[in-house]
Amino acid sequence: MNRKTFISVSAGLMVACAASAWAETSTSRRPILRLGQNFVLGERVPGTYTKLWRNDDGIAVRVRTGDLTPGIYTLEWLIFNNPEYCSRPFECDILDADPGWYGDPRVRFSWILGSSNFVVGDGRGTFAAGLSKDDPSLALPRPGLIDSHHAEVHLVIHRKSPVLPEAVHLQLSVLSLSPLSCQTQDCRYVQISRHRVTP
């Protein structure tokens, strides 16, 4: 699948979300932070942000970022459906994502592919995605998004450089948890933005 296809898909998701009943929409705008190994938070990426819309039907996001090396990137949702059960209530982190290791299964965590794009020489990246409530079809693990107003939402940007011509369709369309999408040591998470909710 090529770049035009994915831009069209992302735009279509945003249009679909905007066309639904957004009469009771809430919005939040958050900075983008660098990510080190093991999801260690770094400094803010200057001039970048994510904007998240929520309504009863789901969520939608627009991302404008920079300081990326050229290559393929995916935008991925980290959904903490019940953030009150995170190790620090309503301040979830990646450790809360794994109930078999550190997290509480009552968090009901899901990891979901949002959208994909190419980044070229200027290092700027733009992404858009939408996620419907009660649709677990793309979620690993399930249940997906349960309550769009209550979930804590993290957005991670995943670098899949270098472009592999024989596998570019997999790099663009497969969630990064799959080894099919990420076959080099240069493949890693580079940025994150967190949209938390008030208890």
Side-chain angles (χ1 to χ4, degrees), residues 35-187:
L35 270 181
Q37 289 186 339
N38 300 317
F39 270 65
V40 174
L41 297 178
E43 70 274 17
R44 181 173 181 172
V45 183
T48 65
Y49 70 91
T50 63
K51 187 172 184 179
L52 183 74
W53 291 264
R54 304 177 189 248
N55 76 356
D56 293 342
D57 300 320
I59 56 179
V61 69
R62 182 175 67 218
V63 178
R64 292 188 178 177
T65 189
D67 199 25
L68 300 172
T69 58
I72 291 176
Y73 289 80
T74 53
L75 173 69
E76 300 169 16
W77 305 94
L78 278 62
I79 304 295
F80 301 86
N81 280 294
N82 297 318
E84 65 270 27
Y85 293 116
C86 287
S87 54
R88 298 177 63 183
F90 298 96
E91 295 184 13
C92 303
D93 64 34
I94 193 63
L95 295 177
D96 295 300
D98 187 354
W101 177 34
Y102 183 84
D104 188 324
R106 293 175 295 178
V107 171
R108 305 294 302 278
F109 171 80
S110 283
W111 200 308
I112 308 167
L113 178 66
S115 63
S116 308
N117 212 341
F118 292 91
V119 171
V120 294
D122 62 5
R124 291 181 292 180
T126 302
F127 303 86
L131 183 62
S132 297
K133 188 182 73 170
D134 298 326
D135 179 9
S137 59
L138 298 176
L140 291 174
R142 299 191 177 192
L145 178 66
I146 297 174
D147 183 340
S148 53
H149 296 291
H150 184 68
E152 181 168 322
V153 178
H154 295 189
L155 299 150
V156 291
I157 296 175
H158 187 236
R159 184 176 69 208
K160 296 183 176 180
S161 301
V163 176
L164 303 175
E166 71 281 5
V168 66
H169 62 294
L170 293 174
Q171 290 181 295
L172 284 166
S173 62
V174 177
L175 189 64
S176 61
L177 297 177
S178 168
L180 294 173
S181 73
C182 209
Q183 301 176 16
T184 71
Q185 293 183 346
D186 195 38
C187 182

